[in-house]
Amino acid sequence: MTQWFAEKVLCLPPLASRNGVGVDDLMVYVHWLMLALFVGWIIYFFYALYRFHARRNPKADYVGVRNHASSYLELTVAGIEALLLIVLAVPIWARNVDQFPPADKSTVIQIVAQQYAWNVLYPGPDGNFGRQDMRFVTADNVFGVDPSDPHGKNDIQTLNDIHVVVNKPVIIYVSSKDVIHSLKILSMRVEQDAIPGLRIPCWFIPDKIGRYQVNCAQLCGSGHSAMSGGFLTVESQADFDKWIKSKSATTVSPSSFE
Ligand SMILES: [Cu+2]
């Protein structure tokens, strides 16, 4: 029922991650509460028009309301809101944002956003990222990979092309080389701001094979919408290994995006 509401009424793209269930639930429950409040207030509005019409009340009532129904209603609404916050929102935040999956059981990726594309770095077949340092950052080396480190030699860099394995956690370290961007993958229900000088991790567990759009969720310049040219491909381990192999066979030179 909540998934139907999220997709059909709130028009969210179909959920394709395990961690997104809680996010959708919270969004749907908040909307149900808002719907109930909306209907309640509309009914009260028309009741008030009828009950306090001038013709029915030629003389003003100087005392007003004598019962406490409105106070109880207010308390009930505040109680439901407190439940949503304490029982749902806070634990979801703890689960989805703070509790990271173990890195050795995850696909670990680095992303550096730029105007207007996503640079993606993979550790390559050896599973190790090369040493990185700000001193090595150039227009062509946005990740600052140390050219003398052998681990960095087989690192794989792509543009706008993220590949991950289905049912395996993904950890993405997000940064930016120019302005503030925001990596948003709606189908995964995940979003993380990309901030120059900071490298912030986020994670999700994709559970449906497919190709999903990546968006930038911060207005970052005139070409902001072009950042939806990024794609996330969720595939089987075999297809992923094949892709990594095909990429490491050819040295990918990061293209600049003017
Ligand atoms: Cu952007």
Side-chain angles (χ1 to χ4, degrees), residues 9-32:
V9 182
L10 303 183
C11 300
L12 289 166
L15 177 65
S17 76
R18 224 175 289 164
N19 50 289
V21 178
V23 178
D24 280 11
D25 284 352
L26 179 64
M27 261 192 284
V28 169
Y29 295 148
V30 168
H31 277 83
W32 280 347

PDB file of all heavy atoms in Angstrom, residues 9-32:
ATOM      1  N   VAL A   9       0.808   8.113  -6.332  1.00  0.00           N
ATOM      2  CA  VAL A   9       0.309   9.409  -5.885  1.00  0.00           C
ATOM      3  C   VAL A   9       1.440  10.432  -5.771  1.00  0.00           C
ATOM      4  O   VAL A   9       1.329  11.556  -6.238  1.00  0.00           O
ATOM      5  CB  VAL A   9      -0.439   9.278  -4.535  1.00  0.00           C
ATOM      6  CG1 VAL A   9      -0.993  10.626  -4.104  1.00  0.00           C
ATOM      7  CG2 VAL A   9      -1.565   8.253  -4.661  1.00  0.00           C
ATOM      8  N   LEU A  10       2.563  10.024  -5.164  1.00  0.00           N
ATOM      9  CA  LEU A  10       3.679  10.963  -5.016  1.00  0.00           C
ATOM     10  C   LEU A  10       4.592  10.969  -6.238  1.00  0.00           C
ATOM     11  O   LEU A  10       5.536  11.762  -6.315  1.00  0.00           O
ATOM     12  CB  LEU A  10       4.500  10.630  -3.755  1.00  0.00           C
ATOM     13  CG  LEU A  10       3.723  10.618  -2.434  1.00  0.00           C
ATOM     14  CD1 LEU A  10       4.654  10.344  -1.269  1.00  0.00           C
ATOM     15  CD2 LEU A  10       3.007  11.943  -2.225  1.00  0.00           C
ATOM     16  N   CYS A  11       4.330  10.063  -7.203  1.00  0.00           N
ATOM     17  CA  CYS A  11       5.059  10.023  -8.475  1.00  0.00           C
ATOM     18  C   CYS A  11       6.560   9.799  -8.308  1.00  0.00           C
ATOM     19  O   CYS A  11       7.370  10.330  -9.082  1.00  0.00           O
ATOM     20  CB  CYS A  11       4.818  11.290  -9.293  1.00  0.00           C
ATOM     21  SG  CYS A  11       3.099  11.532  -9.686  1.00  0.00           S
ATOM     22  N   LEU A  12       6.961   9.050  -7.279  1.00  0.00           N
ATOM     23  CA  LEU A  12       8.375   8.705  -7.142  1.00  0.00           C
ATOM     24  C   LEU A  12       8.715   7.600  -8.141  1.00  0.00           C
ATOM     25  O   LEU A  12       7.861   6.749  -8.416  1.00  0.00           O
ATOM     26  CB  LEU A  12       8.660   8.201  -5.724  1.00  0.00           C
ATOM     27  CG  LEU A  12       8.624   9.242  -4.616  1.00  0.00           C
ATOM     28  CD1 LEU A  12       8.570   8.568  -3.259  1.00  0.00           C
ATOM     29  CD2 LEU A  12       9.838  10.140  -4.705  1.00  0.00           C
ATOM     30  N   PRO A  13       9.926   7.590  -8.689  1.00  0.00           N
ATOM     31  CA  PRO A  13      10.287   6.472  -9.566  1.00  0.00           C
ATOM     32  C   PRO A  13      10.295   5.173  -8.764  1.00  0.00           C
ATOM     33  O   PRO A  13      10.556   5.202  -7.548  1.00  0.00           O
ATOM     34  CB  PRO A  13      11.687   6.831 -10.062  1.00  0.00           C
ATOM     35  CG  PRO A  13      12.192   7.858  -9.137  1.00  0.00           C
ATOM     36  CD  PRO A  13      11.020   8.544  -8.535  1.00  0.00           C
ATOM     37  N   PRO A  14      10.002   4.028  -9.398  1.00  0.00           N
ATOM     38  CA  PRO A  14       9.959   2.762  -8.671  1.00  0.00           C
ATOM     39  C   PRO A  14      11.205   2.554  -7.819  1.00  0.00           C
ATOM     40  O   PRO A  14      12.323   2.809  -8.265  1.00  0.00           O
ATOM     41  CB  PRO A  14       9.887   1.727  -9.795  1.00  0.00           C
ATOM     42  CG  PRO A  14       9.258   2.444 -10.922  1.00  0.00           C
ATOM     43  CD  PRO A  14       9.715   3.882 -10.822  1.00  0.00           C
ATOM     44  N   LEU A  15      10.983   2.112  -6.590  1.00  0.00           N
ATOM     45  CA  LEU A  15      12.074   1.895  -5.647  1.00  0.00           C
ATOM     46  C   LEU A  15      12.943   0.734  -6.112  1.00  0.00           C
ATOM     47  O   LEU A  15      12.435  -0.322  -6.474  1.00  0.00           O
ATOM     48  CB  LEU A  15      11.477   1.596  -4.267  1.00  0.00           C
ATOM     49  CG  LEU A  15      12.458   1.260  -3.158  1.00  0.00           C
ATOM     50  CD1 LEU A  15      13.331   2.468  -2.852  1.00  0.00           C
ATOM     51  CD2 LEU A  15      11.713   0.824  -1.914  1.00  0.00           C
ATOM     52  N   ALA A  16      14.268   0.935  -6.107  1.00  0.00           N
ATOM     53  CA  ALA A  16      15.173  -0.125  -6.555  1.00  0.00           C
ATOM     54  C   ALA A  16      16.294  -0.355  -5.557  1.00  0.00           C
ATOM     55  O   ALA A  16      17.363  -0.834  -5.899  1.00  0.00           O
ATOM     56  CB  ALA A  16      15.743   0.222  -7.923  1.00  0.00           C
ATOM     57  N   SER A  17      16.046   0.013  -4.278  1.00  0.00           N
ATOM     58  CA  SER A  17      17.075  -0.231  -3.268  1.00  0.00           C
ATOM     59  C   SER A  17      16.423  -0.712  -1.979  1.00  0.00           C
ATOM     60  O   SER A  17      15.270  -0.401  -1.697  1.00  0.00           O
ATOM     61  CB  SER A  17      17.885   1.038  -3.000  1.00  0.00           C
ATOM     62  OG  SER A  17      17.139   1.930  -2.208  1.00  0.00           O
ATOM     63  N   ARG A  18      17.203  -1.484  -1.204  1.00  0.00           N
ATOM     64  CA  ARG A  18      16.669  -2.063   0.028  1.00  0.00           C
ATOM     65  C   ARG A  18      16.521  -0.993   1.103  1.00  0.00           C
ATOM     66  O   ARG A  18      15.574  -0.989   1.864  1.00  0.00           O
ATOM     67  CB  ARG A  18      17.612  -3.167   0.502  1.00  0.00           C
ATOM     68  CG  ARG A  18      16.878  -4.408   0.961  1.00  0.00           C
ATOM     69  CD  ARG A  18      17.848  -5.508   1.314  1.00  0.00           C
ATOM     70  NE  ARG A  18      18.517  -6.080   0.160  1.00  0.00           N
ATOM     71  CZ  ARG A  18      19.615  -6.831   0.250  1.00  0.00           C
ATOM     72  NH1 ARG A  18      20.179  -7.053   1.406  1.00  0.00           N
ATOM     73  NH2 ARG A  18      20.157  -7.336  -0.846  1.00  0.00           N
ATOM     74  N   ASN A  19      17.492  -0.059   1.150  1.00  0.00           N
ATOM     75  CA  ASN A  19      17.477   0.970   2.176  1.00  0.00           C
ATOM     76  C   ASN A  19      16.358   1.994   1.965  1.00  0.00           C
ATOM     77  O   ASN A  19      16.036   2.752   2.866  1.00  0.00           O
ATOM     78  CB  ASN A  19      18.818   1.700   2.193  1.00  0.00           C
ATOM     79  CG  ASN A  19      19.216   2.136   0.804  1.00  0.00           C
ATOM     80  OD1 ASN A  19      19.569   1.298  -0.026  1.00  0.00           O
ATOM     81  ND2 ASN A  19      19.110   3.417   0.494  1.00  0.00           N
ATOM     82  N   GLY A  20      15.775   2.011   0.746  1.00  0.00           N
ATOM     83  CA  GLY A  20      14.776   3.035   0.433  1.00  0.00           C
ATOM     84  C   GLY A  20      13.401   2.758   1.018  1.00  0.00           C
ATOM     85  O   GLY A  20      12.554   3.656   1.046  1.00  0.00           O
ATOM     86  N   VAL A  21      13.170   1.540   1.522  1.00  0.00           N
ATOM     87  CA  VAL A  21      11.830   1.187   2.026  1.00  0.00           C
ATOM     88  C   VAL A  21      11.428   2.125   3.171  1.00  0.00           C
ATOM     89  O   VAL A  21      10.332   2.688   3.181  1.00  0.00           O
ATOM     90  CB  VAL A  21      11.798  -0.288   2.498  1.00  0.00           C
ATOM     91  CG1 VAL A  21      10.429  -0.625   3.049  1.00  0.00           C
ATOM     92  CG2 VAL A  21      12.142  -1.224   1.339  1.00  0.00           C
ATOM     93  N   GLY A  22      12.337   2.319   4.126  1.00  0.00           N
ATOM     94  CA  GLY A  22      12.048   3.180   5.266  1.00  0.00           C
ATOM     95  C   GLY A  22      11.810   4.618   4.850  1.00  0.00           C
ATOM     96  O   GLY A  22      10.939   5.297   5.394  1.00  0.00           O
ATOM     97  N   VAL A  23      12.597   5.079   3.858  1.00  0.00           N
ATOM     98  CA  VAL A  23      12.456   6.459   3.371  1.00  0.00           C
ATOM     99  C   VAL A  23      11.062   6.647   2.774  1.00  0.00           C
ATOM    100  O   VAL A  23      10.361   7.630   3.067  1.00  0.00           O
ATOM    101  CB  VAL A  23      13.534   6.768   2.309  1.00  0.00           C
ATOM    102  CG1 VAL A  23      13.364   8.181   1.771  1.00  0.00           C
ATOM    103  CG2 VAL A  23      14.926   6.570   2.883  1.00  0.00           C
ATOM    104  N   ASP A  24      10.637   5.685   1.954  1.00  0.00           N
ATOM    105  CA  ASP A  24       9.315   5.770   1.336  1.00  0.00           C
ATOM    106  C   ASP A  24       8.214   5.711   2.384  1.00  0.00           C
ATOM    107  O   ASP A  24       7.253   6.476   2.325  1.00  0.00           O
ATOM    108  CB  ASP A  24       9.128   4.627   0.325  1.00  0.00           C
ATOM    109  CG  ASP A  24       9.811   4.956  -0.996  1.00  0.00           C
ATOM    110  OD1 ASP A  24      10.579   5.934  -1.027  1.00  0.00           O
ATOM    111  OD2 ASP A  24       9.568   4.238  -1.981  1.00  0.00           O
ATOM    112  N   ASP A  25       8.367   4.804   3.345  1.00  0.00           N
ATOM    113  CA  ASP A  25       7.360   4.682   4.403  1.00  0.00           C
ATOM    114  C   ASP A  25       7.162   6.016   5.109  1.00  0.00           C
ATOM    115  O   ASP A  25       6.039   6.478   5.279  1.00  0.00           O
ATOM    116  CB  ASP A  25       7.789   3.625   5.444  1.00  0.00           C
ATOM    117  CG  ASP A  25       7.591   2.217   4.909  1.00  0.00           C
ATOM    118  OD1 ASP A  25       6.986   2.080   3.825  1.00  0.00           O
ATOM    119  OD2 ASP A  25       8.043   1.264   5.567  1.00  0.00           O
ATOM    120  N   LEU A  26       8.279   6.642   5.500  1.00  0.00           N
ATOM    121  CA  LEU A  26       8.185   7.910   6.226  1.00  0.00           C
ATOM    122  C   LEU A  26       7.473   8.963   5.374  1.00  0.00           C
ATOM    123  O   LEU A  26       6.567   9.651   5.842  1.00  0.00           O
ATOM    124  CB  LEU A  26       9.581   8.402   6.612  1.00  0.00           C
ATOM    125  CG  LEU A  26       9.610   9.740   7.351  1.00  0.00           C
ATOM    126  CD1 LEU A  26       8.903   9.635   8.690  1.00  0.00           C
ATOM    127  CD2 LEU A  26      11.034  10.219   7.556  1.00  0.00           C
ATOM    128  N   MET A  27       7.887   9.063   4.093  1.00  0.00           N
ATOM    129  CA  MET A  27       7.264  10.059   3.211  1.00  0.00           C
ATOM    130  C   MET A  27       5.767   9.829   3.079  1.00  0.00           C
ATOM    131  O   MET A  27       4.971  10.766   3.116  1.00  0.00           O
ATOM    132  CB  MET A  27       7.920   9.992   1.818  1.00  0.00           C
ATOM    133  CG  MET A  27       8.968  11.050   1.614  1.00  0.00           C
ATOM    134  SD  MET A  27       9.455  11.175  -0.085  1.00  0.00           S
ATOM    135  CE  MET A  27      10.493   9.755  -0.264  1.00  0.00           C
ATOM    136  N   VAL A  28       5.388   8.554   2.947  1.00  0.00           N
ATOM    137  CA  VAL A  28       3.970   8.231   2.761  1.00  0.00           C
ATOM    138  C   VAL A  28       3.179   8.528   4.043  1.00  0.00           C
ATOM    139  O   VAL A  28       2.112   9.138   3.992  1.00  0.00           O
ATOM    140  CB  VAL A  28       3.823   6.761   2.331  1.00  0.00           C
ATOM    141  CG1 VAL A  28       2.371   6.331   2.386  1.00  0.00           C
ATOM    142  CG2 VAL A  28       4.369   6.578   0.918  1.00  0.00           C
ATOM    143  N   TYR A  29       3.720   8.147   5.224  1.00  0.00           N
ATOM    144  CA  TYR A  29       3.002   8.400   6.472  1.00  0.00           C
ATOM    145  C   TYR A  29       2.831   9.903   6.702  1.00  0.00           C
ATOM    146  O   TYR A  29       1.772  10.345   7.151  1.00  0.00           O
ATOM    147  CB  TYR A  29       3.729   7.768   7.669  1.00  0.00           C
ATOM    148  CG  TYR A  29       3.782   6.264   7.609  1.00  0.00           C
ATOM    149  CD1 TYR A  29       4.854   5.546   8.125  1.00  0.00           C
ATOM    150  CD2 TYR A  29       2.747   5.548   7.017  1.00  0.00           C
ATOM    151  CE1 TYR A  29       4.897   4.161   8.051  1.00  0.00           C
ATOM    152  CE2 TYR A  29       2.791   4.166   6.938  1.00  0.00           C
ATOM    153  CZ  TYR A  29       3.863   3.479   7.458  1.00  0.00           C
ATOM    154  OH  TYR A  29       3.917   2.112   7.378  1.00  0.00           O
ATOM    155  N   VAL A  30       3.870  10.694   6.394  1.00  0.00           N
ATOM    156  CA  VAL A  30       3.762  12.145   6.570  1.00  0.00           C
ATOM    157  C   VAL A  30       2.660  12.685   5.649  1.00  0.00           C
ATOM    158  O   VAL A  30       1.854  13.534   6.055  1.00  0.00           O
ATOM    159  CB  VAL A  30       5.116  12.837   6.283  1.00  0.00           C
ATOM    160  CG1 VAL A  30       4.937  14.349   6.172  1.00  0.00           C
ATOM    161  CG2 VAL A  30       6.116  12.521   7.385  1.00  0.00           C
ATOM    162  N   HIS A  31       2.600  12.170   4.414  1.00  0.00           N
ATOM    163  CA  HIS A  31       1.561  12.642   3.496  1.00  0.00           C
ATOM    164  C   HIS A  31       0.163  12.217   3.950  1.00  0.00           C
ATOM    165  O   HIS A  31      -0.797  12.965   3.765  1.00  0.00           O
ATOM    166  CB  HIS A  31       1.839  12.157   2.070  1.00  0.00           C
ATOM    167  CG  HIS A  31       2.819  13.031   1.348  1.00  0.00           C
ATOM    168  ND1 HIS A  31       4.177  12.894   1.485  1.00  0.00           N
ATOM    169  CD2 HIS A  31       2.630  14.079   0.518  1.00  0.00           C
ATOM    170  CE1 HIS A  31       4.778  13.819   0.756  1.00  0.00           C
ATOM    171  NE2 HIS A  31       3.874  14.543   0.157  1.00  0.00           N
ATOM    172  N   TRP A  32       0.066  11.015   4.530  1.00  0.00           N
ATOM    173  CA  TRP A  32      -1.240  10.584   5.053  1.00  0.00           C
ATOM    174  C   TRP A  32      -1.695  11.504   6.180  1.00  0.00           C
ATOM    175  O   TRP A  32      -2.850  11.899   6.244  1.00  0.00           O
ATOM    176  CB  TRP A  32      -1.171   9.124   5.551  1.00  0.00           C
ATOM    177  CG  TRP A  32      -1.274   8.133   4.445  1.00  0.00           C
ATOM    178  CD1 TRP A  32      -1.660   8.388   3.151  1.00  0.00           C
ATOM    179  CD2 TRP A  32      -1.007   6.731   4.502  1.00  0.00           C
ATOM    180  NE1 TRP A  32      -1.634   7.236   2.412  1.00  0.00           N
ATOM    181  CE2 TRP A  32      -1.248   6.199   3.228  1.00  0.00           C
ATOM    182  CE3 TRP A  32      -0.580   5.879   5.521  1.00  0.00           C
ATOM    183  CZ2 TRP A  32      -1.074   4.848   2.925  1.00  0.00           C
ATOM    184  CZ3 TRP A  32      -0.415   4.537   5.231  1.00  0.00           C
ATOM    185  CH2 TRP A  32      -0.667   4.027   3.944  1.00  0.00           C
TER     186      TRP A  32
END
